[in-house]
Amino acid sequence: MRRCAAVIGLLLLGVVLWAQEGQPDALQEYRNRNFDRAIAITLAELERNPNNIDSYVVLGWSLNALGRYQEAIDNGLRALQINRFESRVIQIIAEAQYNLGNSLQALEYLQRYIQVAPTGSYVDWVYAAMGEIFLRLGEYHRADIALSTSVYHNNRIASRWVRLGFTREQLEDWEHALAAYERALQLDPNLSDAIRGAQRVRSRLQG
């Protein structure tokens, strides 16, 4: 009897594993950059379970990856009706609004992200995007604070140090601008924007 039960258990386990392997994986398709496939899978999942937040998240990521920003916003707003504190969805909407050039709408969702996930996995990008928006608006002091916070959370992205250096140039804070450009060059010695920025600032300091 015990042997029979063990055999049955193994057979049932095999059936379960086979069923799991046969199910399409939207997240894996997204990671493989098969964005259209990921969208199709998540839409099918949402047909079966309209409250599946994870499906909305992968759907939003995939739509943003394809530049289908308004669709990402529309689906994100539906997801927030299920859970208005879901930081991943808030970030998806913020990214879509940002890429559409809707600065004030993007800023609203970027600030919401910080409120609900002040140490979330996207927080460095959120502050970087806020910095870019403040640059668009000519609010250089706020841009400096946002970009400084971004590189505090992630100091390994050379282009963000360049943008911080550029912001400090607008404030005529030459020494700290040079420090930012030099940090960018430590990360990427061939980054042309950092090279030109450092040259501009050095000429200011020498003049």
Side-chain angles (χ1 to χ4, degrees), residues 75-148:
N75 282 285
L77 292 174
R78 294 188 190 100
L80 290 183
Q81 291 177 359
I82 301 167
N83 181 358
R84 64 192 180 96
F85 299 110
E86 175 50 68
S87 62
R88 295 172 299 173
V89 173
I90 293 170
Q91 185 275 329
I92 287 166
I93 297 174
E95 181 179 342
Q97 294 283 16
Y98 176 83
N99 285 317
L100 286 172
N102 299 330
S103 296
L104 296 181
Q105 294 91 330
L107 192 58
E108 174 189 349
Y109 282 93
L110 293 167
Q111 291 170 336
R112 284 179 63 178
Y113 182 93
I114 292 169
Q115 290 171 353
V116 302
T119 58
S121 57
Y122 291 97
V123 72
D124 62 305
W125 176 86
V126 165
Y127 278 109
M130 289 177 68
E132 292 296 334
I133 290 172
F134 290 137
L135 277 172
R136 292 176 189 172
L137 299 175
E139 298 184 18
Y140 300 123
H141 286 288
R142 297 179 75 182
D144 188 353
I145 292 169
L147 289 165
S148 295

